[in-house]
Amino acid sequence: MNPSLAQVLERSDIRRGDAFAVAPAPTFATGFARLDAELPGGGWPRGALTELLAEHEGIGELGLLLPALAALTAAGQPVVLIAPPHGAHAPAWAAAGIRLDCLRLVFPNRPRDALWAAVEALRCGGVAATLLWLDALFRAQLPANSLRRLQVAAGEGGGGAFFFRPSRLAAAASPAPLRLQLQAQGGSLRVTILKRRGPPARQAILLDVARPAGFLQSVPHAVAGAALPDTTGSRRRSRVAA
Amino acid sequence: MDLPAQLAVAATPLAALWLARAGSDAVCPDLPATRAALAAVPIAALELAPPLARRIEGFGLRRLGDVLALPRASLGARLGKPFVIDLARALGEVADPQIGFVFPEHFEQSLELPAPVEAAPVLLFAARRLIAALAGWLAARNAAVRTIDCLIDHGHGRTTGVPLAFSAPVHAAARIERVLKERLDALSLSAPALALRLCARETEVREDRSHALFDGAGQRHEALAELMDRLAARLGPQAVQGLACHADHRPELASRAGPEKPALKASLPSVPSRPLWLVEPPEALRELHGRPQRAGPLVLLAGPERIESGWWDGGDARRDYFVAVDSGQRWLWIFRDPRPPGGWFLHGWFA
C-alpha cells in the first residue's frame, strides 16, 4: 500500500503552507497572548535575529519587549543593550519589573566597534537577550553583510536578538527570520508581522503595551502626582491643550 | 645552559648535600648507612672556608672518615665549634631544621623577547607564556586577581603600561588572554618592544563552586562577566555600564551607571510613570500660543508633576513634568521650568 498522504505530511522536512514549521525553534513568551499566537513557536525566537521596525521612537516599541525582558531577568538571565539611543532611566526599568543587576548597557563610539560588540554579545551564550540599535551610529549605512553576520552570531549564542530599526527599511531585504513593523494607533501598538517562518500574517495585531500610568483613553487629561499651588497656570494650560 | 644535576639521598639534609657534592650516587636510607657513606667523602667536597680547609689538610686528613675517627672534643678545640656542630648535624646527632619554601607573595615575571617587536598584537604570543605562569601561580595560591599590570619595555627605561582590569576576580589563563588580546589589538607601540613583564599584586581568594551538571546561572554570569571584560577592554571602561537606581527625585540623578546597592533599592517610593529613555541634556522645545511644540503642537495628557529638589547641593531644580503626545503619537516626557526664563524641555521618551 502506498504511504498515505497524511504519513507523508508528517515528515519533519515537509512544511505545509498554512501551518508553522513542525519543530519550531526554541522561543520565550512575549507576555502578549495575541502576539504569541501569531509567532512561530509561540514567542520570541531564540538564536535568531528579530527585526523591530518602529515608525517612531517613543510609541511603545520597548514596551513590546518589557514583559519578556522582565521574565528573563527575573530568572537571573542577563540582558545586554548595545548602542541604545538614549541613557536608560533606572527607576522606569525597575518599575517595569526588570532586575537591574541583570542589565548591561554598552555605548560604543565608533560604528565598527558597535558591530563588533553586537556580534560578541550575540555570540555569548551567557546573554539571554541582546537589544541592538545600530542604524543611528552607521547613519543608516549599515554594511550589506552585517545583518547576515548578526544572524549567524545570534544562531551561535542562542539568545534572543532584537534589532531596532527605522521603519523605512521595511521593504529592504533582510536575513532576519522574524520582522515586525510597529506603529502607534490610539494609545496602543499596532504590530504588523512582515515576515515570519510560516504562512504570511493576515492582519496586524493591536497590543496594549505599557504606557504611562495615570492616563486613561476615556479621560485624556489625568493629573498625576501632587502639584504645588503655584502651578495652576501650567495646569490650566494643559487642560486647554488636552 | 648545560647544567648537570647530581642527586644523593641521605638520612640528614647536610649529609645529602655533601654526598651530592662528592659526586656519590649513594642512597642511604638510615643513619648508619649515611655514616658509612660519609666516611668516603673527600674534605674538599665540604666546601669549607679556605683557612679551615687548609688546617684540616695540614693535619693530614683527606677524607671525612679520617675526621670522624678523631675525638670530637679535641676537634672542637682545634677547628672551632661550628665545624663540629655541622658534623653532628650531618650525622643526625643534632636536629637540623630546614626553612620551608615560601611561595612569592606577588607575581612578577618578565620575558626578554628574542627580537624587537613592532606590532603590539604580536606580543600576545610572548604574553601567553607569562599568563600561563601567572595562572599557575594563582592556582598554587588558590587565588584570583582583579587587576594585572602588563608592562611593555622599550629599553632605555621607557615602558608602556597596559593595566588589565576585570569585573570579577579571574584565574583562568584563557580569560586573561582574551582581555589582553583586545587591549593589544587597540594598542600602537611608540617604539619596538624588547621585553614584557606581568605583575599581579593584589590577590583575592578564589571563589570556586563546583559547577552544576545541567548549566546553572553561575556559568551564565561567568560568561557575561567575561564578555563585559572583553567589551570594556576594547571600547574603554566607560562604554560598558550597569544600571542602578539612586534615591534622588531629580530624574537625571535617579539613575546611575554601575551595580545596584541593595540598601538604596527600597528607598524611593513608587514614583508616577517614568520614561525608559532619558534625554540628557534636556532638549529645549519651542512654545507657540502657550503650547509646547515638537513637529507640531504637543498634547498634554497627564501632569503637572512638580519636582523640586537639590537646593542644597547646587543642582537646584524646579520643574513641572507632563506626559505629552505629539502628532506622530510618540509619547514624551516634557517639563516646564516655572522660573524665568522658563520654557519647555523634552526630558524623556516613553519607548
Side-chain angles (χ1 to χ4, degrees):
Chain A
M1 197 183 95
N2 288 337
S4 71
L5 184 61
Q7 273 177 309
V8 172
L9 290 178
E10 271 172 22
R11 286 169 50 125
S12 63
D13 53 350
I14 287 185
R15 184 175 69 75
R16 296 177 67 175
D18 61 348
F20 293 129
V22 173
T27 56
F28 54 102
T30 64
F32 299 99
R34 295 185 57 199
L35 184 58
D36 282 344
E38 291 293 327
L39 296 178
W44 296 120
R46 289 183 198 271
L49 198 60
T50 300
E51 265 188 89
L52 299 170
L53 303 135
E55 194 181 28
H56 297 297
E57 181 178 45
I59 57 170
E61 69 276 15
L62 263 176
L64 183 64
L65 287 184
L66 286 179
L69 297 186
L72 286 178
T73 56
Q77 304 206 41
V79 171
V80 176
L81 278 61
I82 308 269
H86 304 285
H89 188 45
W93 290 79
I98 288 172
R99 249 178 70 184
L100 296 182
D101 58 331
C102 290
L103 208 59
R104 296 284 186 285
L105 289 88
V106 182
F107 295 96
N109 287 322
R110 292 178 301 172
R112 210 163 51 93
D113 285 343
L115 192 58
W116 172 81
V119 168
E120 291 296 316
L122 289 172
R123 277 172 57 183
C124 176
V127 180
T130 310
L131 278 57
L132 312 167
W133 291 262
L134 295 181
D135 289 284
L137 262 176
F138 278 95
R139 298 210 168 87
Q141 299 285 310
L142 200 67
N145 65 345
S146 23
L147 274 173
R148 181 89 215 133
R149 273 181 69 192
L150 294 174
Q151 162 68 9
V152 170
E156 284 175 33
F162 301 96
F163 192 178
F164 287 92
R165 313 200 70 193
S167 67
R168 62 188 149 71
L169 296 166
S174 163
L178 181 61
R179 304 184 80 212
L180 306 182
Q181 187 167 27
L182 314 177
Q183 287 156 312
Q185 188 176 325
S188 303
L189 190 67
R190 181 187 164 89
V191 179
T192 315
I193 300 176
L194 298 176
K195 178 182 174 186
R196 64 176 177 183
R197 283 189 177 137
R202 291 206 178 81
Q203 57 188 29
I205 321 160
L206 272 185
L207 295 179
D208 288 321
V209 294
R211 296 284 77 189
F215 164 68
L216 297 166
Q217 255 184 306
S218 52
V219 189
H221 176 217
V223 177
L228 292 172
D230 65 337
T231 59
T232 41
S234 58
R235 193 185 294 189
R236 193 181 310 122
R237 190 168 302 155
S238 71
R239 197 167 292 144
V240 169
Chain B
M1 302 285 261
D2 203 23
L3 292 170
Q6 176 69 49
L7 296 176
V9 179
T12 62
L14 195 57
L17 177 68
W18 287 350
L19 286 171
R21 281 197 190 136
S24 154
D25 287 327
V27 175
C28 314
D30 51 15
L31 282 172
T34 303
R35 194 183 174 94
L38 281 177
V41 171
I43 296 297
L46 271 52
E47 294 183 9
L48 300 169
L52 187 59
R54 269 198 300 279
R55 196 108 198 262
I56 296 173
E57 208 179 339
F59 292 163
L61 307 173
R62 295 282 174 272
R63 295 190 175 274
L64 207 50
D66 305 338
V67 179
L68 293 176
L70 299 173
R72 203 70 63 80
S74 50
L75 262 184
R78 286 177 173 81
L79 299 175
K81 235 182 183 139
F83 179 65
V84 178
I85 291 172
D86 272 355
L87 279 183
R89 281 185 180 145
L91 295 172
E93 292 160 5
V94 174
D96 187 10
Q98 301 290 304
I99 298 162
F101 173 70
V102 180
F103 216 81
E105 274 298 302
H106 307 294
F107 178 87
E108 183 159 1
Q109 250 188 48
S110 50
L111 186 70
E112 295 273 333
L113 300 172
V117 170
E118 309 254 354
V122 181
L123 288 173
L124 188 66
F125 293 100
R128 264 188 203 139
R129 262 177 66 181
L130 294 177
I131 291 171
L134 171 64
W137 179 78
L138 288 172
R141 293 183 63 97
N142 190 34
V145 283
R146 265 179 199 277
T147 57
I148 297 171
D149 277 327
C150 178
L151 279 173
I152 300 168
D153 193 350
H154 304 296
H156 309 294
R158 285 176 305 158
T159 55
T160 306
V162 185
L164 304 179
F166 299 90
S167 55
V170 294
H171 56 82
R175 200 168 145 188
I176 299 170
E177 202 178 299
R178 274 198 289 269
V179 172
L180 182 63
K181 179 183 182 301
E182 295 306 336
R183 293 297 305 270
L184 289 178
D185 281 350
L187 189 71
S188 64
L189 291 178
S190 55
L194 302 180
L196 205 61
R197 191 210 303 257
L198 216 58
C199 312
R201 306 217 174 272
E202 298 193 359
T203 60
E204 292 175 30
V205 176
R206 191 192 292 187
E207 285 176 18
D208 264 347
R209 299 164 312 258
S210 25
H211 283 306
L213 182 56
F214 301 106
D215 180 42
Q219 274 175 13
R220 223 170 7 240
H221 275 272
E222 222 160 81
L224 179 73
E226 203 243 290
L227 171 74
M228 290 301 130
D229 285 344
R230 261 185 308 141
L231 294 183
R234 170 150 165 184
L235 309 175
Q238 290 308 310
V240 179
Q241 298 172 2
L243 193 63
C245 290
H246 182 68
D248 198 306
H249 286 285
R250 286 163 290 181
E252 62 271 29
L253 297 176
S255 182
R256 286 198 174 172
E260 183 158 17
K261 293 188 182 66
L264 295 175
K265 213 172 189 174
S267 52
L268 258 191
S270 69
V271 288
S273 48
R274 291 278 181 267
L276 291 166
W277 297 138
L278 210 59
V279 177
E280 207 51 58
E283 180 191 320
L285 299 176
R286 264 177 345 108
E287 185 176 334
L288 200 65
H289 310 307
R291 291 173 72 179
Q293 310 278 319
R294 196 176 190 279
L298 298 179
V299 180
L300 304 182
L301 295 177
E305 180 198 350
R306 167 65 63 94
I307 292 179
E308 187 165 3
S309 183
W311 51 266
W312 57 87
D313 63 5
D316 193 6
R318 190 191 298 172
R319 304 167 190 155
D320 291 326
Y321 278 90
F322 295 85
V323 176
V325 168
D326 76 356
S327 53
Q329 300 194 40
R330 311 158 60 151
W331 292 61
L332 300 79
W333 202 41
I334 62 175
F335 70 83
R336 196 182 64 92
D337 195 340
R339 296 170 302 180
W344 292 88
F345 295 88
L346 166 65
H347 207 183
W349 290 105
F350 292 95

